[in-house]
Amino acid sequence: MKKAILTSAILTASALCAHATTTFYSGVTAEVNVPEFFPLTQLISGSGSGFEAASPHDRLGNLELGTWVTNGSGSDYFGTDPSNPQDPGVGPTPVIIFDLGSDVLLSEISTWGYNTTNGNGAREFSLRFATVADGMGNFADSIIFNPSFVADLSATLRDSNVFGQEVTARWVELTITDNYFTDAPGGISGGDRVGLGEVAFAIPEPGSFALLGLAGVGLLLRRKR
């Protein structure tokens, strides 16, 4: 009976976490350091504008109206041989700086992919943070935390990347270090640009972390028994 009750508690906690309300920040602005083909304003449409307001928060819009992408590099954007005439070289590393307007509490970044059938979608990225006291551009002055993530390729589904800790910051610097292009057999086309479908910053409701903790404790107890 105890095992049945424990299993039920775990499943209930997991189900509640999956449907927990998430608060997305709106009014976000951003700037990028590389030439654009589709503008960056399409990447930060705000809460429920570029994506469904209700869970599971699927992305809205089509390729041109709902995405951001850099200009083409003429070859593999993240190529490794700039001296090779057949491979003009690496495009400039895209760095996007998001301004949340004031110091806010953050615990996750959500991303939506550029195009499922195209290798231009951003794959690997890292984050740095700065507070109002730090000033824009003074990343890591007071927040040493520098998480890295792998973005999902899907152009529809929300990819929620939880930081693992809460951070209070006004500016978030997102550096993209790879896309989904590969020249291996069976790889998808593209690769000369870097793009994303949507970006949103959020913090789950307080109960979400508590429920995750309950599920984790339940799993540990189950293993011991």
Side-chain angles (χ1 to χ4, degrees), residues 1 28-29 51 61 66 88-89 112 116 121 124 135 144 155 161 166 175 187 200:
M1 176 62 76
V28 179
T29 59
F51 53 93
W112 290 259
T116 306
E124 297 177 5
I144 309 301
N161 296 284
E166 294 181 343
T175 301

Side-chain angles (χ1 to χ4, degrees), residues 2-193:
K2 289 183 178 179
K3 183 176 180 180
I5 294 173
L6 182 59
T7 302
S8 176
I10 295 169
L11 292 175
T12 301
S14 300
L16 288 171
C17 286
H19 294 88
T21 302
T22 299
T23 301
F24 294 100
Y25 292 107
S26 58
V28 179
T29 59
E31 60 183 62
V32 67
N33 67 326
V34 295
E36 305 165 281
F37 188 69
F38 293 156
L40 194 64
T41 52
Q42 299 182 165
L43 193 66
I44 48 171
S45 300
S47 179
S49 296
F51 53 93
E52 293 280 2
S55 182
H57 308 295
D58 288 351
R59 186 168 70 84
L60 304 173
N62 59 32
L63 179 61
E64 293 191 13
L65 296 179
T67 59
W68 161 82
V69 73
T70 67
N71 278 346
S73 64
S75 185
D76 180 2
Y77 195 94
F78 291 101
T80 56
D81 189 8
S83 64
N84 184 345
Q86 303 303 315
D87 182 358
V90 181
T93 300
V95 178
I96 305 172
I97 297 178
F98 298 90
D99 185 354
L100 302 172
S102 62
D103 284 347
V104 295
L105 189 64
L106 300 169
S107 63
E108 72 169 61
I109 179 173
S110 293
T111 62
W112 290 259
Y114 172 67
N115 186 342
T116 306
T117 62
N118 188 294
N120 290 330
R123 182 176 184 273
E124 297 177 5
F125 67 93
S126 62
L127 301 177
R128 293 197 301 170
F129 306 90
T131 65
V132 169
D134 295 329
M136 180 177 177
N138 296 319
F139 295 98
D141 271 12
S142 65
I143 304 173
I144 309 301
F145 187 51
N146 178 214
S148 297
F149 302 101
V150 176
D152 193 2
L153 180 64
S154 174
T156 302
L157 303 178
R158 170 192 175 205
D159 182 22
S160 176
N161 296 284
V162 178
F163 296 164
Q165 70 177 62
E166 294 181 343
V167 176
T168 298
R170 171 174 176 171
W171 291 281
V172 182
E173 178 194 73
L174 186 155
T175 301
I176 302 172
T177 54
D178 200 7
N179 59 16
Y180 267 92
F181 175 75
T182 174
D183 55 8
I188 52 181
S189 62
D192 63 327
R193 304 174 189 270

